[in-house]
Amino acid sequence: MRHLVCMLIALLFVWPEGDANAHALDPGYLEIRQIASNTWSVHWRKPDVNGQPMAIDAVLPNGCAPSRGPEATRDSRAWVSSWVMECREDIAGKSIAIEGLEAQRNDVLVRLHPLEAAPTTLRLTSDTAIQTIPPEQTTWSVFISYFQLGFEHILEGWDHLLFVFALFILVRDVWRLVGAVTAFTLAHSITLALATFGILNVPGPPVEAVIALSIVFLAMEIVKGGEGRFRLSKQKPWIVCFGFGLLHGLGFAGALAEIGLPPNDIPAALLAFNLGVEAGQLSFIAALAVFTAIWRLVASPTGRGPVVLTAYGIGSVSMYWLIERLSGF
């Protein structure tokens, strides 16, 4: 058991180094907006990878020129370029691709805005780097795309994943744990919706700092869990998770704002994204439960030492993120 805990803590310390941002929801974004019968404006946003643009590029439909824009410039989070292209004919039914995406562990969202039709959203991945532009967008396709986006975000967002991991260690009752995670999802759904509709607007760095503090809090509760006192975080974790979920929802909103939502299907996209996050959280908990059951069979762990060491590892990583966020003020 001691060796496993040491390996786990080492893994936790590696996570922040691979991505300066705790959030992983930073896919590429390609917006193509029709401004005249044969004229389209293009906005191309590549994710940042260690100070350089990701090695991907948009391949626009045949018959459109120029097919590539000016050299990308870096904004606060990504590399962007914009230009205007002329297309000889309608681009519906034509193919659009992201060159180099098959070698990346990332997605690209494509948003098309025709003048006389509803906007279309496509999601290109390493497995489907080429797609055909449909004649019109369906609500169901939007739902599927944003459900997958939410599911993948929670499984690749280290800060939210670490929060759920700490919660799993702290709350040992299965149904109490599921209720706490569901309260967390309900709360972040509220703030995500409020932020999306412009009712609530909070700067990103303070939100990220408080999110890191929420993980530190859970780590401290794990360490103090053996003192035998009544602890709200263990007895009524849904209250704590609901409060922190409101904060985490602002983090989701900041990331989702970078991608945007389809104007005609905002409710469906928001619902799908939140359901995807919930599914990702429950899947992660199920995987942890299976791993724990197997571990108990083969290792028969005893004592609180490994749990406390793991809590310190979680708290250390969270403090790293906190310092990083505070430096952004």
Side-chain angles (χ1 to χ4, degrees):
M1 182 68 175
R2 182 171 59 252
H3 297 297
L4 176 68
V5 171
C6 291
M7 291 174 60
L8 176 60
I9 294 175
L11 179 62
L12 292 175
F13 276 107
V14 168
W15 283 353
E17 296 176 4
D19 184 3
N21 294 312
H23 286 283
L25 181 61
D26 193 21
Y29 178 64
L30 176 64
E31 181 182 68
I32 304 176
R33 185 179 295 271
Q34 190 174 19
I35 54 179
S37 58
N38 296 317
T39 307
W40 300 73
S41 66
V42 182
H43 179 73
W44 177 215
R45 177 181 178 276
K46 299 183 186 181
D48 181 88
V49 180
N50 298 324
Q52 297 294 325
M54 181 176 285
I56 58 176
D57 211 348
V59 179
L60 299 173
N62 290 332
C64 295
S67 59
R68 299 178 189 269
E71 185 176 350
T73 58
R74 193 177 191 279
D75 63 11
S76 59
R77 296 187 58 167
W79 295 78
V80 298
S81 59
S82 299
W83 68 98
V84 174
M85 69 176 184
E86 299 288 335
C87 298
R88 294 194 300 267
E89 53 190 13
D90 188 5
I91 64 174
K94 300 291 186 66
S95 295
I96 193 165
I98 303 299
E99 186 179 72
L101 188 61
E102 63 278 358
Q104 306 294 335
R105 295 180 61 249
N106 211 330
D107 303 342
V108 172
L109 288 184
V110 178
R111 179 82 42 75
L112 295 111
H113 296 266
L115 280 174
E116 300 179 356
T120 297
T121 301
L122 302 176
R123 178 173 172 270
L124 278 66
T125 69
S126 57
D127 296 325
T128 56
I130 302 176
Q131 287 197 35
T132 300
I133 300 172
E136 61 181 86
Q137 179 80 72
T138 65
T139 300
W140 178 246
S141 63
V142 171
F143 188 92
I144 293 298
S145 294
Y146 279 86
F147 179 89
Q148 293 173 335
L149 196 63
F151 186 87
E152 292 177 1
H153 173 53
I154 200 65
L155 294 184
E156 295 180 357
W158 299 124
D159 51 354
H160 299 298
L161 210 60
L162 200 57
F163 182 91
V164 175
F165 178 53
L167 193 63
F168 177 83
I169 297 175
L170 181 65
V171 183
R172 304 311 304 159
D173 181 82
V174 174
W175 292 113
R176 190 176 291 172
L177 176 62
V178 171
V181 170
T182 302
F184 177 79
T185 300
L186 177 62
H188 75 62
S189 300
I190 293 172
T191 48
L192 179 56
L194 291 175
T196 298
F197 291 107
I199 300 173
L200 187 63
N201 185 19
V202 180
V207 170
E208 297 289 348
V210 178
I211 287 174
L213 274 177
S214 71
I215 307 172
V216 174
F217 171 80
L218 288 187
M220 292 175 61
E221 291 295 286
I222 293 171
V223 173
K224 296 179 179 180
E227 296 178 358
R229 301 180 192 174
F230 172 83
R231 308 202 72 82
L232 187 66
S233 60
K234 293 188 67 174
Q235 302 303 317
K236 298 185 184 297
W238 66 270
I239 297 177
V240 174
C241 287
F242 187 87
F244 284 139
L246 295 173
L247 296 168
H248 283 245
L250 293 173
F252 289 142
L256 197 56
E258 296 287 333
I259 305 306
L261 292 166
N264 295 342
D265 287 301
I266 289 178
L270 279 176
L271 175 62
F273 181 82
N274 287 313
L275 289 177
V277 168
E278 176 74 353
Q281 291 172 161
L282 294 178
S283 298
F284 180 59
I285 287 173
L288 289 174
V290 171
F291 177 82
T292 301
I294 295 173
W295 186 261
R296 285 175 177 170
L297 287 175
V298 300
S300 301
T302 59
R304 276 184 48 81
V307 172
V308 172
L309 284 175
T310 304
Y312 274 108
I314 294 171
S316 299
V317 172
S318 303
M319 287 301 299
Y320 173 90
W321 285 334
L322 174 62
I323 294 171
E324 182 185 55
R325 294 305 173 219
L326 291 175
S327 67
F329 288 168

